Amino acid sequence: MTTDTYRRSAADDHPANASPEYKSTATRSPTRPPVVLPQSLSEITGPLLSTERLGALENDLTRQRMSAPLGERIIVQGRVLDENGKPVPEALVEIWQCNASGRYHHPGDQHDAPLDPNFYGGGRARADGDGRYKFITIKPGAYPWKNHHNAWRPAHIHFSLFGPAFATRLITQMYFPNDPLLAIDPIYNSVPEGARARLQASFDIDLTQPEWALGYRFDIVLRGRNATPME
Amino acid sequence: MPSVTPSQTIGPFYFGTIINGYRHDLAPPGVPGERIDVVLILHDVQGAIVPDGLLEIWQANSAGRYNHPDDRRNLPLDPGFEGFGRASTDTSGCSHFSTVKPGRVPWPTGGLQAPHINISIFARGVLNRLATRLYFDGDPANGEDPVLNLVEPARRATLIARRDGSGVWRLPIHLGGANETVFFDC
């Protein structure tokens, strides 16, 4: 019988901390196994950020500046669920991404590609009671990085979620289907093979709005509660 | 049933999209408790500082109550105190927080934990959120803390913040190397 409130993930759900093809892990990954911690109140509680008030346009990255940004307008929509298939209601979803040219609005990004004064690249959304969230943005570009010769990141959007507990905190990246760069990206491929496809959004003609924007669906699954012994 | 979404690195270009979500100061005036300043210093496996990390903290209030519906104990909540902080590391690898010292919270099989702050670590090159804790040097409850006692004695010091000359609680966090911090699978 377990006393854990939240299920523990299997080893083949997440990347190994040391993933040699992703060079930065060499100096930033622990080598000792983590100490397995029974889940106490410290782990099963966590920030819900329920008093955080979101502005009306925070989930629309195409309307945060004076004019529309350059690039292919897209809708990214999905649900925040747990491993039991239950929605995570009112979940705060944070995203950030580069612009259509592959450049981040960040002083550390020195890629020789133009900044877009009409694109900041950050957004937040609050899921509804059924875990549904929605962003309007532009498709991010691919960009080079210095991991190895001729290394390019596939187009991606960073996602950050808290879920109901300290134990459910997740930062991940959403990728686009049929991107040829996925096959050669060390970060995407740090995920065990059987779990990688979970990071790909799917093109969805039903989310696509005629004459306006392509729609992509991306559901995010956080750790689920164990059934309690009494149930 | 759906399978859990895999983790990925925060990368180097996180810019606080969440711009109004950086939270260094957790406890506005009027929140009861002992005021403390905490500095976490992030190091890589070679001891070099990590200037592009993001650190988050989560803690109980001074009465030992978490601001969360799953903490159902009849203890006071403090208006304005959520218990969550977030700060990127600066060019010297430091994240600064101002808060109150948390009270003691219970352990699932009985007894109380020593006062502690829960920490999440994100950075370029870190593929999974790393979780650790901060304890307070000299707290008389440390000796009976069930989590500290899960850790081999030689490594417990990696979890214990010490006060510097100006009273600031400082905790170095080492992602690896001889002084590798104890990380938890929670």
Side-chain angles (χ1 to χ4, degrees):
Chain A
M1 193 181 84
T2 176
T3 58
D4 288 340
T5 301
Y6 289 94
R7 271 192 233 166
R8 302 207 178 237
S9 295
D12 57 2
D13 280 326
H14 294 289
N17 288 324
S19 292
E21 300 297 313
Y22 174 23
K23 299 289 199 305
S24 295
T25 66
T27 55
R28 294 186 166 188
S29 45
T31 55
R32 301 177 206 228
V35 173
V36 177
L37 194 57
Q39 292 167 6
S40 73
L41 271 181
S42 297
E43 288 73 37
I44 70 168
T45 63
L48 301 178
L49 302 162
S50 51
T51 59
E52 190 76 9
R53 295 281 166 252
L54 274 59
L57 294 180
E58 284 196 57
N59 74 329
D60 186 344
L61 284 68
T62 70
R63 293 172 65 196
Q64 295 174 343
R65 290 292 195 264
M66 293 294 286
S67 307
L70 295 173
E72 177 188 343
R73 187 187 299 117
I74 60 171
I75 298 161
V76 178
Q77 190 168 333
R79 295 179 76 197
V80 186
L81 303 167
D82 70 18
E83 292 169 283
N84 301 314
K86 292 182 179 166
V88 180
E90 320 296 337
L92 183 67
V93 185
E94 306 172 310
I95 65 168
W96 68 101
Q97 64 170 88
C98 65
N99 67 22
S101 303
R103 178 93 182 259
Y104 284 91
H105 185 91
H106 186 288
D109 187 353
Q110 297 300 313
H111 174 35
D112 180 17
L115 283 167
D116 182 345
N118 290 311
F119 192 72
Y120 174 63
R124 305 193 298 179
R126 173 85 63 193
D128 69 12
D130 216 17
R132 293 177 204 283
Y133 75 89
K134 179 180 184 179
F135 288 100
I136 298 163
T137 183
I138 49 99
K139 188 172 180 186
Y143 59 84
W145 60 313
K146 299 191 187 314
N147 188 70
H148 57 274
H149 174 66
N150 214 7
W152 292 79
R153 293 292 335 271
H156 61 276
I157 299 176
H158 297 266
F159 273 73
S160 162
L161 294 101
F162 292 87
F166 183 78
T168 58
R169 182 80 174 96
L170 178 74
I171 286 182
T172 189
Q173 300 181 25
M174 183 205 96
Y175 299 91
F176 292 85
N178 305 314
D179 188 331
L181 294 172
L182 287 173
I184 53 173
D185 179 50
I187 296 181
Y188 175 72
N189 290 294
S190 69
V191 176
E193 188 173 6
R196 278 174 210 157
R198 299 174 203 165
L199 295 181
Q200 288 188 36
S202 53
F203 169 68
D204 190 327
I205 191 68
D206 294 323
L207 285 184
T208 298
Q209 292 194 15
E211 322 300 333
W212 197 67
L214 294 182
Y216 289 91
R217 182 172 298 282
F218 185 56
D219 290 342
I220 300 145
V221 182
L222 303 178
R223 291 167 66 183
R225 280 179 177 258
N226 282 306
T228 60
M230 291 78 79
E231 283 175 348
Chain B
M1 287 298 151
S3 299
V4 73
T5 301
S7 177
Q8 293 273 266
T9 178
I10 193 171
F13 299 134
Y14 169 79
F15 47 84
T17 50
I18 329 168
I19 253 265
N20 48 356
Y22 278 120
R23 295 184 184 183
H24 301 267
D25 189 351
L26 283 70
V31 170
E34 178 191 342
R35 299 271 152 176
I36 58 170
D37 289 309
V38 173
V39 176
L40 307 175
I41 312 108
L42 191 59
H43 300 267
D44 73 10
V45 305
Q46 294 159 342
I49 60 103
V50 174
D52 57 356
L54 181 75
L55 300 180
E56 292 177 350
I57 63 174
W58 170 244
Q59 64 164 94
N61 68 10
S62 60
R65 172 86 190 268
Y66 282 106
N67 188 348
H68 190 280
D70 284 345
D71 188 346
R72 301 187 178 90
R73 294 168 302 145
N74 185 26
L75 291 170
L77 284 170
D78 299 319
F81 185 82
E82 178 154 31
F84 172 68
R86 168 191 275 178
S88 53
T89 56
D90 62 19
T91 52
S92 54
C94 295
S95 290
H96 300 253
F97 298 98
S98 296
T99 183
V100 292
K101 187 175 178 181
R104 302 181 68 178
V105 299
W107 185 243
T109 53
L112 292 170
Q113 304 181 55
H116 65 275
I117 294 173
N118 309 287
I119 301 170
S120 291
I121 298 150
F122 303 96
R124 170 179 63 86
V126 176
L127 282 162
N128 298 286
R129 184 273 299 261
L130 295 172
T132 187
R133 287 182 168 200
L134 177 152
Y135 286 85
F136 298 88
D137 183 39
D139 194 291
N142 287 346
E144 61 185 46
D145 182 76
V147 173
L148 285 175
N149 285 319
L150 280 175
V151 174
E152 57 181 288
R155 299 189 67 204
R156 285 176 197 161
T158 69
L159 301 174
I160 298 175
R162 294 177 186 282
R163 261 189 144 148
D164 69 14
S166 53
V168 175
W169 292 96
R170 298 175 68 90
L171 180 68
I173 297 170
H174 290 268
L175 296 175
N179 300 316
E180 183 176 308
T181 291
V182 171
F183 298 106
F184 295 106
D185 172 356
C186 59

